[in-house]
Amino acid sequence: MAGGTLGGASASGERAARLLLVDREALAREVTAALYAGSPELLAVHGERGREKCLQDMRYNIEHLTPAVELGDPAMFAGYVEWLDALLRARNVATRDVVRCLELLRERCTVRYPAAEAATIAGIIDAGLAVLAR
Amino acid sequence: MIAARDAFLAAIRRGDRQAAFRSLDDALDSGLDLRTLYVDIVQPSMREIGRLWQANELSIAEEHLATAITESAMSRAFERVFVWRDRRTPRLIAACADDERHQMGLRMLCDLLEMEGWETIYLGAAVPVESLTALVAARAPDAIALSATIAPHVPRIRAAISAIRASAVAHQPVIAVGGRAFLTDPSLAQKVGADLTASDAGEAVRILTERVRDAGASS
């Protein structure tokens, strides 16, 4: 087992995970800015502190996305998204805003990254979105 | 036992250390063993504390208070059942790799193995991989237990296991992984290169004992 091929891990997954690791802060900021630009009412609902929390949550989201991408494990990210949605609903954040964040993250990765890496990341994000569509 | 669990959970939830100590004292006095205390009282109580934080019913400070009280209560309970031994074997090293801070499961595992006669080396939270690998080489344990609660720490466990496998050539330890990340997806244990995982500390004691005995018999 040691050093052998791991379950769903792939070369594009490992490259994509490295990209996410390097770009975490930039991606988190881009997604937060895009979310608030597209839904200005969020600022009225959650305030400036809400925007800061959103940015911090985006950092966490990318931190949880990265190992799922690296290990090729969509269930890992789906489990996280399910947990996150329950946590945020208990704090007055709507599921539709979590969905929007993940969609924006998928878009930003598609813009930034080569097709193979972007597709690997999108596949994992989609597993998270599927949980929220239930 | 359910009454004891309810009493313990209520005590740590409101941050009452004395009541928490009292509830575990009463449980031991009523004849429950350490394994039952840990697996059926402490572990489900801590999972409920985590759920209450997720549901926004406890603050982070209250959750940390509950954790601190629980660790003290476990030390106290272990002290009460502790027995001196001249010779302890086999040997296990337990650690949370890198940034992981959820150490309580490993603490339970070590205490329960000590009760079975093992020698355990408990390193607790946030041990850098290189430092862990060096200690493993120096102490040549029969088994290693690594824990991850959240997914971002899983790749570091994989790195730790591959470093240990690469360095411990003469004496390959049995490697166990556990924690919530592996509980939700047991197949992850194989993906990170571990030999086994278990759903709680009691099951981990049973499986580790079998595997280490088998490894001894075949070498």
Side-chain angles (χ1 to χ4, degrees):
Chain A
M1 186 69 226
T5 310
L6 298 163
S10 65
S12 82
E14 294 192 3
R15 280 196 303 273
R18 275 199 296 277
L19 292 171
L20 290 171
L21 201 65
V22 171
D23 295 338
R24 183 175 73 148
E25 186 63 26
L27 281 169
R29 288 183 182 279
E30 285 172 16
V31 170
T32 305
L35 178 74
Y36 276 77
S39 314
E41 74 280 3
L42 287 176
L43 206 53
V45 177
H46 300 296
E48 188 52 46
R49 173 142 174 73
R51 182 150 64 181
E52 281 166 31
K53 280 188 166 290
C54 177
L55 174 60
Q56 184 57 47
D57 284 345
M58 279 314 303
R59 294 187 186 111
Y60 290 140
N61 294 345
I62 298 164
E63 210 172 287
H64 278 83
L65 174 65
T66 307
V69 166
E70 182 176 344
L71 298 169
D73 191 341
M76 178 188 270
F77 189 64
Y80 165 73
V81 170
E82 193 169 19
W83 173 87
L84 173 77
D85 180 51
L87 183 143
L88 289 177
R89 273 188 285 114
R91 290 160 177 80
N92 298 317
V93 175
T95 296
R96 67 169 180 279
D97 293 330
V98 181
V99 169
R100 194 73 198 116
C101 277
L102 294 180
E103 287 173 347
L104 286 166
L105 181 60
R106 188 179 55 191
E107 278 173 38
R108 294 311 307 157
C109 292
T110 306
V111 171
R112 274 175 168 267
Y113 300 143
E117 284 75 10
T120 302
I121 295 170
I124 302 289
I125 293 178
D126 285 346
L129 285 167
V131 169
L132 301 180
R134 273 181 211 152
Chain B
M1 199 280 296
I2 290 173
R5 182 173 68 204
D6 291 347
F8 182 74
L9 174 60
I12 60 173
R13 187 178 172 170
R14 64 174 190 272
D16 186 338
R17 183 154 90 147
Q18 184 163 316
F21 284 8
R22 170 78 67 196
S23 65
L24 291 195
D25 273 9
D26 289 349
L28 282 175
D29 291 342
S30 75
L32 296 181
D33 62 9
L34 193 70
R35 179 185 181 283
T36 307
L37 250 63
Y38 282 4
V39 175
D40 296 329
I41 296 177
V42 173
Q43 180 173 288
S45 296
M46 284 311 297
R47 285 192 181 152
E48 177 63 7
I49 292 292
R51 193 198 66 77
L52 288 166
W53 169 74
Q54 183 191 24
N56 206 17
E57 291 176 38
L58 279 185
S59 70
I60 292 177
E62 289 167 322
E63 189 222 325
H64 285 201
L65 174 59
T67 304
I69 290 172
T70 299
E71 290 190 315
S72 299
M74 283 168 59
S75 295
R76 181 179 161 79
F78 182 66
E79 188 78 10
R80 288 195 54 191
V81 299
F82 179 81
V83 281
W84 292 103
R85 292 171 204 272
D86 292 334
R87 182 170 175 273
R88 293 180 303 156
T89 183
R91 176 184 290 169
L92 169 125
I93 290 181
C96 297
D98 274 349
D99 294 334
E100 181 62 59
R101 287 184 295 169
H102 296 87
Q103 61 190 13
M104 204 178 287
L106 290 175
R107 176 73 176 274
M108 287 185 191
L109 174 64
C110 287
D111 286 357
L112 295 179
L113 286 172
E114 288 277 342
M115 296 304 294
E116 300 296 317
W118 288 53
E119 177 194 359
T120 64
I121 299 169
Y122 168 74
L123 308 179
V127 183
V129 169
E130 299 73 24
S131 187
L132 172 64
T133 312
L135 191 77
V136 167
R139 302 288 185 105
D142 302 283
I144 295 171
L146 303 170
S147 183
T149 293
I150 64 168
H153 298 145
V154 170
R156 298 308 293 158
I157 287 206
R158 184 172 66 151
I161 291 176
S162 109
I164 289 165
R165 300 264 197 233
S167 67
V169 181
H171 184 84
Q172 280 292 337
V174 172
I175 301 181
V177 291
R180 204 172 61 102
F182 298 98
L183 198 61
T184 46
D185 179 12
S187 73
L188 200 54
Q190 202 192 355
K191 285 190 194 170
V192 300
D195 296 308
L196 64 100
T197 186
S199 61
D200 62 52
E203 193 192 31
V205 167
R206 184 178 59 74
I207 302 176
L208 271 169
T209 302
E210 283 173 15
R211 291 296 292 270
V212 167
R213 197 181 48 214
D214 291 349
S218 66
S219 67

